[in-house]
Amino acid sequence: MTAKVTLSFADDTIADARRFAKREGLSLSAWMDQAAREKALREVFAAHAAAVGRAGLDLESASLADAQEVGMVDDLLFGGPPRAA
């Protein structure tokens, strides 16, 4: 379903949007839809990252520890670094 809406933009903003849409081979509507969707996703991801930070979770350290553990298991099982699939 596609909703038709009327929006107002600054002249510079719409000129940039038209240029970027043309460069990417998209209609202005398709480019604006993509830009709005990307902005919404950035907002969701930023909110998630903030919540993780407030919870005191250190996901980067946990991920690095997991990778180190995988390496240790590979060393024990295969006598070296992970094999290519």
Side-chain angles (χ1 to χ4, degrees):
M1 179 105 194
T2 300
K4 292 201 179 261
V5 297
T6 300
L7 301 170
S8 298
F9 296 96
D11 291 337
D12 290 345
T13 301
I14 200 67
D16 289 341
R18 284 185 173 123
R19 189 175 72 251
F20 295 138
K22 183 177 180 178
R23 182 182 69 189
E24 294 179 26
L26 298 172
S27 68
L28 179 60
S29 292
W31 190 88
M32 295 297 277
D33 182 67
Q34 180 179 327
R37 183 172 300 130
E38 288 173 3
K39 172 66 174 170
L41 287 174
R42 282 194 304 274
E43 293 290 329
V44 169
F45 291 142
H48 175 72
V52 167
R54 285 191 306 275
L57 300 175
D58 187 357
L59 299 178
E60 184 176 0
S61 291
S63 177
L64 291 172
D66 287 348
Q68 184 178 12
E69 186 175 340
V70 167
M72 290 171 26
V73 169
D74 281 339
D75 284 345
L76 288 172
L77 293 176
F78 306 113
R83 296 177 185 192

